[in-house]
C-alpha cells in the first residue's frame, strides 16, 4: 500500500486508513457495546466513514475522527436497542477482554456504566488514549474527560464491593 | 494484587488483529453490496504516472 505524500493534505487511500485503524476501532467497540454487538457496530462505523471519506479535507487526526464515528454509532445503536439479555451460549469469543474470567466479569460491569463514562473508560484503558484525545472524541474538555474516567472508576469500585 | 486500573489495562495487551481483519473483510463485502466500493481506492505510482486502483 503506498504512502500519502508528506506535502499532500489529501487523506491516505481508504484501504490504508482501514488497515491502519481497524484494530483500535474494534478494540473500542468491543469494550463499549460488548462482544455480541461489536461486528455490527464495526461495520456501521466504517460504512459511515467510507461515505464521508471523499469529502474529508485537512483532517489531521484520522484516528480521533474514526473513533468519534464509532462512539456516535455505538451510542445510537445502544439507545435504539436498549440493553437486552443475551443468552450466554450465544456469546462469541471475547478477544479484547483478557484471558481471565474475572476480567470478563469486570468488562460486564463496564457495560452497565452511563454512555459517556463507559466510552471514556474504554478509550482510556482498552485503547490507551490520552485524556486530550478522549475529550476531542466525546466533545468535552480534557478535564471533563478525566472526570468521566474518575467517576467511572468510582462506580465500578462501588459495583464490585 | 492488581488494581482496578491494571485489570482494565490488560485489555490493551490482548490481540484483536484477527477479529478486526475478519470485521474489515465483512465491511468490504457490505460496502460492495451497497455499491460504495468505487470510493475504496488507492493511488499508486507507476512508470506511466499515478494510477487509480480498486
Amino acid at each position: 500500500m503506498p504512502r500519502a505524500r508528506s506535502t499532500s493534505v489529501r487523506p491516505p487511500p481508504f484501504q490504508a486508513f482501514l488497515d491502519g485503524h481497524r484494530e483500535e476501532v474494534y478494540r473500542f467497540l468491543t469494550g463499549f457495546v460488548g462482544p455480541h454487538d461489536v461486528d455490527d457496530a464495526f461495520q456501521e462505523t466504517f460504512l459511515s466513514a467510507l461515505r464521508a471519506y471523499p469529502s474529508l479535507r485537512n483532517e489531521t487526526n484520522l484516528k480521533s475522527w474514526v473513533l468519534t464515528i464509532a462512539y456516535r454509532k455505538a451510542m445510537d445503536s445502544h439507545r435504539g436497542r436498549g440493553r437486552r439479555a443475551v443468552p450466554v451460549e450465544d456469546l462469541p469469543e471475547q478477544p479484547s477482554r483478557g484471558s481471565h474470567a474475572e476480567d470478563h466479569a469486570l468488562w460486564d460491569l463496564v457495560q452497565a456504566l452511563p454512555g459517556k463514562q463507559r466510552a471514556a473508560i474504554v478509550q482510556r484503558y482498552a485503547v490507551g488514549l490520552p485524556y486530550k484525545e478522549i475529550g476531542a472524541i466525546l466533545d468535552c474538555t480534557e478535564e471533563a474527560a478525566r472526570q468521566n474516567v474518575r467517576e467511572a472508576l468510582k462506580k465500578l469500585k462501588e459495583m464490585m464491593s | 494484587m492488581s488494581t482496578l486500573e491494571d485489570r482494565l489495562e490488560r485489555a490493551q495487551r490482548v490481540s484483536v488483529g484477527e477479529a478486526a481483519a475478519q470485521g474489515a473483510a465483512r465491511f468490504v463485502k457490505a460496502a460492495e453490496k451497497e455499491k460504495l466500493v468505487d470510493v475504496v481506492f488507492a493511488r499508486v505510482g507507476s512508470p506511466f504516472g499515478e494510477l487509480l486502483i480498486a
Side-chain angles (χ1 to χ4, degrees):
Chain A
M1 188 60 64
R3 291 180 142 189
R5 290 177 194 157
S6 60
T7 54
S8 173
V9 293
R10 195 172 55 196
F14 192 85
Q15 184 67 56
F17 162 75
L18 173 65
D19 292 344
H21 297 290
R22 68 190 185 197
E23 290 191 21
E24 289 150 349
V25 171
Y26 200 91
R27 197 180 289 281
F28 167 70
L29 289 170
T30 304
F32 192 87
V33 300
H36 192 266
D37 294 317
V38 61
D39 287 329
D40 285 349
F42 181 90
Q43 188 168 301
E44 285 301 312
T45 295
F46 277 105
L47 284 173
S48 285
L50 177 57
R51 290 188 190 100
Y53 207 71
S55 57
L56 258 188
R57 296 286 182 273
N58 299 323
E59 184 60 54
T60 55
N61 191 337
L62 289 171
K63 180 169 77 172
S64 285
W65 180 72
V66 73
L67 284 171
T68 301
I69 295 173
Y71 166 60
R72 290 176 183 165
K73 281 284 166 194
M75 284 292 281
D76 288 348
S77 159
H78 198 74
R79 280 193 206 105
R81 191 174 52 246
R83 286 190 60 76
R84 66 181 183 208
V86 177
V88 171
E89 62 269 24
D90 290 348
L91 287 173
E93 291 297 310
Q94 301 182 23
S96 72
R97 290 185 166 199
S99 56
H100 300 88
E102 66 267 30
D103 286 350
H104 293 181
L106 173 58
W107 283 98
D108 285 340
L109 293 179
V110 170
Q111 294 284 301
L113 292 169
K116 215 164 193 175
Q117 291 178 15
R118 183 165 17 116
I121 208 112
V122 174
Q123 287 161 356
R124 180 66 183 167
Y125 293 107
V127 186
L129 296 182
Y131 286 110
K132 187 175 181 182
E133 208 165 334
I134 296 171
I137 293 167
L138 300 183
D139 196 22
C140 65
T141 64
E142 183 176 346
E143 182 48 37
R146 197 182 298 272
Q147 182 62 25
N148 271 297
V149 169
R150 272 198 295 264
E151 283 295 316
L153 289 172
K154 187 178 165 193
K155 279 193 182 137
L156 285 173
K157 283 173 185 166
E158 285 169 4
M159 286 190 269
M160 291 164 70
S161 63
Chain B
M1 177 143 179
S2 57
T3 66
L4 174 58
E5 290 92 329
D6 291 336
R7 289 176 61 193
L8 289 165
E9 278 181 344
R10 280 207 286 259
Q12 279 184 53
R13 298 193 291 274
V14 177
S15 171
V16 295
E18 193 176 328
Q22 288 171 0
R26 281 191 293 269
F27 150 72
V28 170
K29 281 185 184 168
E32 285 171 348
K33 198 173 172 184
E34 294 197 22
K35 303 190 189 309
L36 291 168
V37 285
D38 56 326
V39 288
V40 182
F41 61 82
R43 288 180 191 276
V44 295
S46 82
F48 313 105
E50 194 175 59
L51 298 177
L52 186 66
I53 61 168

